Amino acid sequence: MIRNFLDIVERGNSGPRCDKESWDLDHVAMPIAELVDKYDLHREPDEIIATDPDEIMKYYDAARELIIGSGVYDQSTGRIIELSAGEIDEAARGQRRKLVIGEGQDAFRFYSRYPEDSRRPGIVAGNPGCPMTEAEFAGTVRSWAQEPTVDMVTCGSIVEVDGHPVKRGEASEVIAVRRELQYLNNICADVGRPGLGRLAAESSVSETGDLAAFAEGFMRRGDAHLVALNNELITNNDNLVRAANTIGFPAKNASLACVMVEGLAGGAEGATVCMIASMLAANIVCRADYHLCHPIHLRHIATSTRECMWLQSVVCQAFALRAPNIIIGDIYPKSGAGTRELLLETAANSIAITVSGGHLEGVGSCDGLKPNCSGLEARVMGETGRAVAEMSLSREDANGILLELLAQYEHVFATGNEGRHFSEVYDTLTFTPTPEWLAMYDEVKGDLAALGINL
């Protein structure tokens, strides 16, 4: 039994020594390949949504075996944080099944969902990690904070303040993080939702910025911040400090694993094992209150690929079957704002996550690399999630719909489709979509209705 978090931190100081190359090969790549063979894990090319519970549970069992055998690598000390079977199982069983985000009348209760759940998913709007100027930050956040389907907001990262670049661990990072929280406070109040929960401190490049966010008047009760596991199954002093930062403070830790499909873990099957193992570890090492599931395709980046949507489907269902946790699936499409494909990718990814038992976060348009994003795709995400839940869409039917949608946008993974800057698709005075962008939304709504998804 783990009595306190410092017990885990101390394991990073006293555990078995290991260099990074040996970790990647001997504790990640080779064990995962062996587990994929041992459990006979296999995905069919046209399977986007998993449906066989026996097959799904095999991924959980393989992941549990992986994390018990390998542990987590503390890159700051070059040692392994070992975790026992009892600790992993106890932490998984003890995870929150309900979680209130935000305050007052704007608070939203997240809960562990199950496949084909008729309860609507929570909607977290924003594009975490996207580099932005202050002007871009304020405009984009307002565009999605005002959307009625949104239950929580997040944001890009401010990369310059007062004309100066933000630098890791320096005064500029402290100012950027607190500026971010000030913008969020003011924007949420301006749109009439002052208590809206935030996944914030996105401008924190290091633990310095994260600590700065917790000053009075900035991070609030019911807000959350990110505590990541780096690729693959790696932590460091930065993230351990972030995890400890909420001890004694009523904000939430959102664990984040960005497992690479076709990376160290191999294809979709191995990456799925690694993602589940990451979440099992994050329950302990990140002190996770809930999990963000963000697979990254090594070649295509986007979460709207077949492989990444399938991974999210298996992960959500595996936890629903074995150890219900609150899981939010990230949506990061290849396409950018002002393109029809962006709306199709967003709808497809929303269907896959919702029908599998997850909540929704996004949209990280244009792979989250440029401020080619807007509140309109967040509207599609929210409306699609609600529609799928309300109609109790089956996983089999969802799979058929996704194959039709993929046929309409899959070409962008080869060609790219970065779209347009926020200022080209939204009126920056009224914060409303341009007629052209709104007409594209209406067109896609019609396309989805023809497939049985009525937004």
Side-chain angles (χ1 to χ4, degrees):
M1 178 183 294
I2 298 168
R3 298 189 182 279
N4 62 62
F5 186 61
L6 291 180
D7 290 344
I8 296 301
V9 175
E10 180 54 32
R11 294 181 199 184
N13 295 319
S14 59
R17 292 187 182 276
C18 184
D19 61 73
K20 176 63 163 55
E21 184 176 352
S22 297
W23 173 260
D24 289 343
L25 180 63
D26 299 333
H27 294 268
V28 178
M30 289 180 62
I32 290 176
E34 291 168 0
L35 288 165
V36 168
D37 286 341
K38 175 182 176 179
Y39 285 88
D40 191 25
L41 304 178
H42 177 69
R43 169 190 165 267
E44 295 295 333
D46 283 344
E47 182 180 82
I48 315 301
I49 306 295
T51 58
D52 185 335
D54 292 332
E55 288 295 314
I56 291 167
M57 286 190 288
K58 285 162 58 175
Y59 283 90
Y60 187 97
D61 292 339
R64 179 180 177 275
E65 187 171 334
L66 172 66
I67 198 60
I68 292 168
S70 291
V72 173
Y73 186 56
D74 185 339
Q75 197 164 10
S76 296
T77 63
R79 292 180 181 269
I80 297 173
I81 298 173
E82 295 182 309
L83 302 169
S84 72
E87 290 168 340
I88 289 293
D89 293 342
E90 180 183 43
R93 289 193 303 267
Q95 277 303 101
R96 297 171 183 259
R97 297 194 181 191
K98 294 180 180 178
L99 182 66
V100 176
I101 293 290
E103 299 179 315
Q105 65 180 10
D106 299 313
F108 181 80
R109 185 184 297 274
F110 286 85
Y111 42 83
S112 53
R113 297 181 72 246
Y114 52 84
E116 302 176 16
D117 200 329
S118 61
R119 298 171 298 171
R120 73 177 182 87
I123 306 300
V124 186
N127 58 344
C130 181
M132 291 189 169
T133 65
E134 291 187 61
E136 290 166 338
F137 180 95
T140 55
V141 171
R142 187 179 297 269
S143 77
W144 51 68
Q146 66 190 1
E147 289 292 330
T149 60
V150 170
D151 304 304
M152 182 182 185
V153 291
T154 184
C155 53
S157 302
I158 296 174
V159 295
E160 60 84 21
V161 285
D162 301 330
H164 297 274
V166 175
K167 296 182 180 179
R168 178 185 178 86
E170 296 189 9
S172 58
E173 182 183 353
V174 173
I175 293 171
V177 172
R178 293 187 176 173
R179 190 76 54 85
E180 170 195 318
L181 270 296
Q182 288 172 333
Y183 279 124
L184 289 171
N185 286 342
N186 294 336
I187 290 168
C188 290
D190 287 348
V191 301
R193 309 180 74 184
L196 195 62
R198 293 93 54 87
L199 173 60
E202 291 294 330
S203 304
S204 60
V205 187
S206 70
E207 68 270 38
T208 298
D210 196 74
L211 290 167
F214 283 72
E216 185 177 357
F218 296 96
M219 190 72 80
R220 305 177 311 196
R221 175 188 297 273
D223 286 343
H225 71 148
L226 290 175
V227 184
L229 277 182
N230 300 333
N231 302 98
E232 304 287 1
L233 296 170
I234 293 173
T235 190
N236 54 27
N237 186 64
D238 179 329
N239 284 311
L240 292 171
V241 170
R242 290 172 188 260
N245 201 7
T246 56
I247 295 175
F249 189 92
K252 309 299 186 288
N253 291 342
S255 88
L256 173 66
C258 298
V259 172
M260 304 293 292
V261 177
E262 297 188 3
L264 284 173
E269 297 88 350
T272 301
V273 171
C274 191
M275 181 67 80
I276 296 171
S278 298
M279 292 181 178
L280 290 172
N283 287 336
I284 300 171
V285 176
C286 301
R287 299 185 68 249
D289 292 293
Y290 69 91
H291 300 289
L292 292 170
C293 179
H294 188 147
I296 297 175
H297 196 288
L298 188 64
R299 288 181 292 116
H300 305 314
I301 311 300
T303 63
S304 52
T305 63
R306 293 169 181 248
E307 297 85 353
C308 288
M309 288 193 291
W310 179 85
L311 180 153
Q312 290 176 320
S313 173
V314 175
V315 169
C316 290
Q317 294 187 66
F319 276 97
L321 288 167
R322 282 294 177 87
N325 281 215
I326 297 170
I327 298 176
I328 301 178
D330 272 354
I331 298 178
Y332 273 59
K334 174 63 62 179
S335 303
T339 68
R340 182 172 179 273
E341 289 87 355
L342 170 59
L343 304 181
L344 294 171
E345 287 183 73
T346 300
N349 221 160
S350 301
I351 292 168
I353 295 166
T354 302
V355 79
S356 300
H359 299 274
L360 304 173
E361 178 179 282
V363 176
S365 311
C366 191
D367 287 332
L369 299 177
K370 295 183 177 182
N372 297 3
C373 56
S374 75
L376 193 61
E377 56 267 30
R379 183 185 304 179
V380 169
M381 176 180 70
E383 290 181 342
T384 302
R386 284 188 173 187
V388 167
E390 289 171 0
M391 67 188 292
S392 296
L393 184 67
S394 73
R395 285 166 290 170
E396 290 83 1
D397 288 345
N399 200 89
I401 292 171
L402 291 175
L403 289 173
E404 295 199 44
L405 291 174
L406 278 159
Q408 298 183 55
Y409 73 72
E410 213 164 10
H411 61 276
V412 302
F413 302 134
T415 63
N417 194 32
E418 69 178 29
R420 300 178 182 178
H421 188 273
F422 171 73
S423 61
E424 298 179 80
V425 295
Y426 260 61
D427 185 315
T428 54
L429 295 178
T430 63
F431 299 100
T432 55
T434 62
E436 179 186 7
W437 190 210
L438 193 60
M440 204 171 289
Y441 160 79
D442 289 333
E443 179 185 335
V444 169
K445 277 184 67 173
D447 294 340
L448 292 171
L451 295 173
I453 307 291
N454 292 299
L455 304 194

